[in-house]
Amino acid sequence: MRQFLLVFTFFSFAGWSQPAQQQVQQPIVVQVQMPPTPHRDFLGYLQSLGPLIAALVAVGVGLMQRNLQKQNLKQNLYTLRHGVYRSVAHYWRILIQSSAVPPIPDKQQFFDSISHATFLFGPEVVTFLEDYYAVTEKYCLAFQRFCSEQRLQLPTDALAADFADVEKQLNYFAGPRAVEVFGPYLNLGRDLPWYARLERDL
């Protein structure tokens, strides 16, 4: 009996030292559920529109820069055109003050001021300036002839009438005709935007 117990004890210890057979487990199924979409409020919509708003702001700044540059170019062009217009009246005053003998520097200054008129105005202004210079030269000759006839005490009725006619032409060219020709180029109201013109007309 002792042998039986000894053998039984030996086998039971041997059975305990054996690792137990593990049972095969079924794979674990993981189900992923997305959280529900949160309700967007006003700030959420603004955040989603952020890139679009930034793009619109950039476009607006670019358009403002373009408009400012256009206005600057218009101002510079107006300054140059107004200088040519003023030179016409200035040269007329020089002729009157100098008794139709304009000093060389003033004459040269007049030529310098109208030399770039071809690039600033249309052909009608260039034609006007040529006609104006021709009238000024005719005025100088008529005035000098009239003065010499007076000094020689010759009958000057016809010459005086001719001189008065040339003087009238010069005054017309330096006054109303100059305003008529230069007016469309110096009228700043023509370049106003449509809403400003509408407000002005109303």
Side-chain angles (χ1 to χ4, degrees), residues 22-160:
Q22 294 184 355
Q23 295 183 354
V24 177
Q25 293 182 352
Q26 294 292 333
I28 299 173
V29 178
V30 178
Q31 186 177 5
V32 179
Q33 289 185 350
M34 298 296 292
T37 306
H39 178 69
R40 286 192 171 183
D41 56 352
F42 180 70
L43 289 176
Y45 285 115
L46 276 183
Q47 286 176 347
S48 64
L49 291 176
L52 178 63
I53 293 173
L56 290 176
V57 167
V59 169
V61 169
L63 289 175
M64 283 180 57
Q65 290 285 342
R66 179 176 176 269
N67 188 35
L68 287 174
Q69 288 179 351
K70 279 180 66 176
Q71 293 300 327
N72 191 21
L73 286 174
K74 284 181 184 178
Q75 183 63 37
N76 292 340
L77 184 60
Y78 176 82
T79 303
L80 293 172
R81 286 176 171 174
H82 192 259
V84 175
Y85 171 70
R86 287 186 58 193
S87 68
V88 170
H90 179 70
Y91 190 61
W92 173 76
R93 283 194 299 273
I94 292 294
L95 287 177
I96 301 301
Q97 291 171 359
S98 64
S99 301
V101 185
I104 301 284
D106 291 324
K107 201 169 187 178
Q108 187 62 43
Q109 183 181 2
F110 173 69
F111 284 130
D112 290 343
S113 62
I114 67 171
S115 61
H116 51 277
T118 309
F119 308 106
L120 300 174
F121 300 99
E124 68 277 7
V125 176
V126 177
T127 305
F128 164 79
L129 290 172
E130 292 171 354
D131 294 342
Y132 175 71
Y133 181 69
V135 168
T136 59
E137 289 297 303
K138 194 191 297 185
Y139 172 79
C140 292
L141 290 174
F143 186 81
Q144 289 169 6
R145 268 202 315 261
F146 179 70
C147 290
S148 63
E149 292 287 331
Q150 276 192 331
R151 278 196 304 270
L152 296 174
Q153 296 180 351
L154 296 173
T156 57
D157 292 339
L159 205 54

